[in-house]
């Protein structure tokens, strides 16, 4: 210890302390910014809106008194109930937006579907898509705006692969299916 003088710590080059503090502060800022970007909560002052995949809002526009227009039944829409069904269960012959499972793997997609039958908490549905798949049997064209699409695009009911969906996955009722369409597909309800 003979070579150490009193006050040596203060005589050393301390610029590395400044660099260390800058690195720590930058790391903390990056953590906070990254955490906000991954947060499921919407930023303050904005409301979170769920949209169907594809980037377009296919929900009908709001009419007078803030109610959605275009719903063909007295049911509240998903927007009026905060994205939930408001306690209302799907009924056969209705078109709903729901998280429909993929046919070939895990996961689901928010899409319109036609309710064929309801048994307890399990709902049998036929999915509705905006793409015509010529190679698939049982594809039925639907009238424009049948699923609440503001752009009026053509939609297609695919009856060849039916899906079982839990009632919790349903978020918004579009309305009753066309009576002619329902007569054509109601036999699919096993």
């Amino acid at each position: 210890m003979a070579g150490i003088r009193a006050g040596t710590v203060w005589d050393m080059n301390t610029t590395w302390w400044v660099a260390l503090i800058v690195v720590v502060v930058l790391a903390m800022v990056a953590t906070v910014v990254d955490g906000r970007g991954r947060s499921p909560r919407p930023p303050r002052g904005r409301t979170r809106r769920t949209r169907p995949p594809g980037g377009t809002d296919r929900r009908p526009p709001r009419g007078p008194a803030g109610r959605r227009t275009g719903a063909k039944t007295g049911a509240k829409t998903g927007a009026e109930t905060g994205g939930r069904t408001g306690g209302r269960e799907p009924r056969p012959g209705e078109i709903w937006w729901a998280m429909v499972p993929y046919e070939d793997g895990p996961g689901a997609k928010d899409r319109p579907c036609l309710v064929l039958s309801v048994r307890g908490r399990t709902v049998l549905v036929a999915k509705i898509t905006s793409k015509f798949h010529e190679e698939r049997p049982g594809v039925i064209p639907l009238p424009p705006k049948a699923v609440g699409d503001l752009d009026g695009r053509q939609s297609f009911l695919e009856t060849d692969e039916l899906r079982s969906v839990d009632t919790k996955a349903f978020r918004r009722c579009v309305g009753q299916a066309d009576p002619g369409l329902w007569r054509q597909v109601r036999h699919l309800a096993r």
Side-chain angles (χ1 to χ4, degrees):
M1 297 281 197
I4 299 179
R5 305 182 296 170
T8 316
V9 173
W10 299 110
D11 293 336
M12 291 175 46
N13 184 353
T14 57
T15 56
W16 68 274
W17 282 99
V18 174
L20 178 64
I21 291 171
V22 168
V23 168
V24 169
V25 168
L26 287 175
M28 290 174 62
V29 168
T31 302
V32 169
V33 169
D34 186 45
R36 284 191 181 177
R38 295 177 187 219
S39 173
R41 295 183 344 181
R44 291 182 190 166
R46 295 184 188 168
T47 57
R48 185 176 193 153
R49 294 180 62 196
T50 56
R51 292 179 181 229
T56 60
D57 188 357
R58 296 184 180 125
R59 291 180 283 186
R62 288 192 183 272
R67 301 189 86 187
R68 292 277 178 186
T69 59
K72 297 178 185 174
T73 65
K76 290 183 178 181
T77 64
E80 293 171 331
T81 60
R84 294 180 292 278
T85 63
R88 182 169 161 339
E89 299 292 324
R91 296 182 192 130
E94 292 179 336
I95 296 175
W96 281 75
W97 279 87
M99 292 300 292
V100 179
Y102 291 122
E103 61 188 294
D104 55 357
K109 180 179 180 179
D110 185 33
R111 69 173 339 126
C113 57
L114 174 63
V115 175
L116 298 172
S117 69
V118 180
R119 291 196 174 97
R121 298 205 50 81
T122 304
V123 181
L124 184 66
V125 302
K127 73 176 185 173
I128 298 174
T129 181
S130 60
K131 295 182 180 136
F132 178 68
H133 298 280
E134 186 175 309
E135 70 281 0
R136 296 184 85 148
V139 176
I140 301 171
L142 299 176
K145 298 187 179 182
V147 298
D149 181 9
L150 293 176
D151 298 332
R153 290 180 291 181
Q154 182 76 44
S155 295
F156 302 92
L157 180 70
E158 294 187 352
T159 61
D160 60 331
E161 290 187 25
L162 307 179
R163 306 284 195 297
S164 292
V165 180
D166 188 276
T167 55
K168 292 179 183 176
F170 289 80
R171 71 171 178 91
R172 180 172 69 93
C173 181
V174 174
Q176 285 294 126
D178 177 69
L181 171 68
W182 180 241
R183 280 192 297 277
Q184 191 177 355
V185 298
R186 68 179 171 203
H187 72 279
L188 297 172
R190 304 176 207 153

